[in-house]
Amino acid sequence: AKKHGNNSYHFYTADLNGKSRENLELEMDLYKAIENDELILHYQPQFHLSTGEYIGNEALIRWNHPKRGMVSPFHFIPIAEETGLIIPIGEWVLKTACAQNKAWQQAGLPPIVVSVNLSSRQFSQSNLVGVVERVLAETKLEAKYLDLEITESMTVDVKQTINTLQALKKLGVKISIDDFGTGYSSLSYLKEFPIDCLKIDQSFIRDCHEDQSNATIVKTIISMAHHLNIQVIAEGVETKEHLDFLQQNLCDAVQGYLLSKPIPAENIEEQFPDFQKI
Ligand code: C2E
Ligand code: CA
Ligand code: CA
Ligand code: CA
């Protein structure tokens, strides 16, 4: 960086230092976050589009930092990935989400699926299948009520991906491709991966009713997926226009602020009856 007439160079470096120091602090705090019970899961409901049926929740992690308040996963998941902390954190997420879903079933609520985000490092960890199997056994959740979300960027090693996905499918869990359309690798492999569902990224849903290219992308993903016998869920559904567009184009399921934001488990419990008739 070079110095301009003003002080911009100075500000630039100061900002960089500030950023890395902040990340370093977060990293040290993150080590203690699990044992200090600072991590929690929020759940965002998902609905079948043609029937309105409440079919599942996506588990989304939150970090209630003692000094900073709620820290976004956009901020700390990359740190967790880099340091390897994502392995214990990811296992905590999986276990907490499965246990919660089982608890709702035991409370007599209609059984629904819980979707858990896997990070890249988790997905390539050699004992992932063993971890999932153990968590299902420990929480006594039936495998068909667990959905694992991976992203296209994790599927670079095609052979490895097929092996892992086939082993997971053997357990009976569902597999979804998250943020679909933002990567570029998986199109030709979609038929080889045992995938249950594509989640259309919210960047395509935004303006899909007025932006012609987004509309085309969304329609094409839905039609292609259905030809491959894969379900489609749209995320980031914020308006009635989004909903109508997706309904017209036969999208299977929806998730977004229009229906519900991600909320704590207690609120899910309270709102269960309302979610039945959305
Ligand atoms: P994602 O998996 O793509 O999750 C969807 C994000 O969109 C969530 O942000 C959710 O709160 C937000 N969202 C939902 N509906 C709407 C909507 O209608 N409009 C808009 N604008 N946003 C909506 P969140 O919870 O901040 O999570 C951000 C990302 O952090 C997630 O993106 C995911 O990549 C990652 N993440 C969250 N929880 C976990 C986790 O347990 N493990 C891993 N590995 N990653 C996680
Ligand atoms: Ca996700
Ligand atoms: Ca997503
Ligand atoms: Ca995303």
Side-chain angles (χ1 to χ4, degrees):
K2 68 170 188 272
K3 196 164 162 39
H4 296 284
N6 55 24
N7 267 343
S8 61
Y9 165 74
H10 184 75
F11 284 124
Y12 179 64
T13 49
D15 189 47
L16 256 188
N17 289 336
K19 252 215 164 105
S20 53
R21 205 190 60 214
E22 187 189 325
N23 276 0
L24 212 69
E25 269 177 31
L26 278 180
E27 181 182 328
M28 292 189 300
D29 293 346
L30 198 50
Y31 276 96
K32 299 171 289 184
I34 295 190
E35 43 179 319
N36 291 354
D37 276 335
E38 291 164 11
L39 300 177
I40 46 165
L41 294 183
H42 281 187
Y43 296 88
Q44 187 176 35
Q46 304 171 325
F47 300 90
H48 196 250
L49 195 44
S50 62
T51 62
E53 189 190 359
Y54 180 26
I55 52 173
N57 289 313
E58 177 174 5
L60 292 156
I61 196 169
R62 302 285 178 264
W63 179 12
N64 195 356
H65 188 282
K67 288 200 213 91
R68 292 164 197 263
M70 285 294 176
V71 184
S72 161
F74 281 124
H75 214 121
F76 71 88
I77 292 289
I79 299 175
E81 270 275 310
E82 235 172 79
T83 54
L85 276 170
I86 194 67
I87 298 296
I89 290 175
E91 196 170 326
W92 175 86
V93 170
L94 193 64
K95 196 165 175 186
T96 305
C98 288
Q100 180 62 71
N101 204 30
K102 180 70 185 181
W104 283 324
Q105 293 180 8
Q106 283 176 329
L109 299 167
I112 57 175
V113 169
V114 68
S115 296
V116 170
N117 291 285
L118 293 185
S119 81
S120 167
R121 197 140 161 182
Q122 254 182 310
F123 187 65
S124 52
Q125 132 194 48
S126 61
N127 63 342
L128 172 69
V129 180
V131 170
V132 173
E133 190 173 19
R134 178 165 50 73
V135 167
L136 288 170
E138 282 170 6
T139 59
K140 302 193 171 62
L141 181 73
E142 264 184 274
K144 66 176 177 182
Y145 295 120
L146 173 63
D147 171 47
L148 298 175
E149 295 190 6
I150 63 171
T151 62
E152 289 168 83
S153 61
M154 302 178 195
T155 64
V156 180
D157 185 340
V158 173
K159 259 215 173 111
Q160 184 63 46
T161 301
I162 292 178
N163 283 341
T164 304
L165 292 182
Q166 280 176 345
L168 289 170
K169 286 307 297 176
K170 255 200 187 141
L171 296 179
V173 302
K174 296 196 159 63
I175 309 287
S176 295
I177 306 246
D178 198 5
D179 302 340
F180 188 76
T182 59
Y184 46 82
S185 58
S186 63
L187 263 196
S188 59
Y189 297 110
L190 271 184
K191 59 179 177 4
E192 292 172 56
F193 293 159
I195 298 297
D196 299 281
C197 186
L198 298 183
K199 292 193 86 168
I200 306 180
D201 190 66
Q202 42 186 283
S203 59
F204 301 113
I205 305 303
R206 203 171 304 139
D207 297 337
C208 64
H209 58 292
E210 46 189 30
D211 176 323
Q212 206 40 56
S213 40
N214 276 357
T216 305
I217 290 169
V218 171
K219 288 187 213 178
T220 307
I221 292 175
I222 295 171
S223 135
M224 175 189 67
H226 286 169
H227 278 106
L228 294 167
N229 215 359
I230 296 172
Q231 305 259 80
V232 184
I233 181 166
E235 62 179 4
V237 176
E238 293 185 352
T239 66
K240 184 72 168 58
E241 283 80 12
H242 295 160
L243 199 69
D244 291 343
F245 175 86
L246 293 162
Q247 200 147 29
Q248 275 157 28
N249 289 288
L250 306 177
C251 187
D252 299 286
V254 284
Q255 171 184 353
Y257 293 169
L258 178 68
L259 304 142
S260 171
K261 291 200 165 182
I263 52 179
E266 313 85 75
N267 299 30
I268 289 280
E269 232 155 273
E270 284 165 21
Q271 286 183 247
F272 232 100
D274 308 327
F275 290 147
Q276 297 300 314
K277 45 182 184 346
I278 235 159

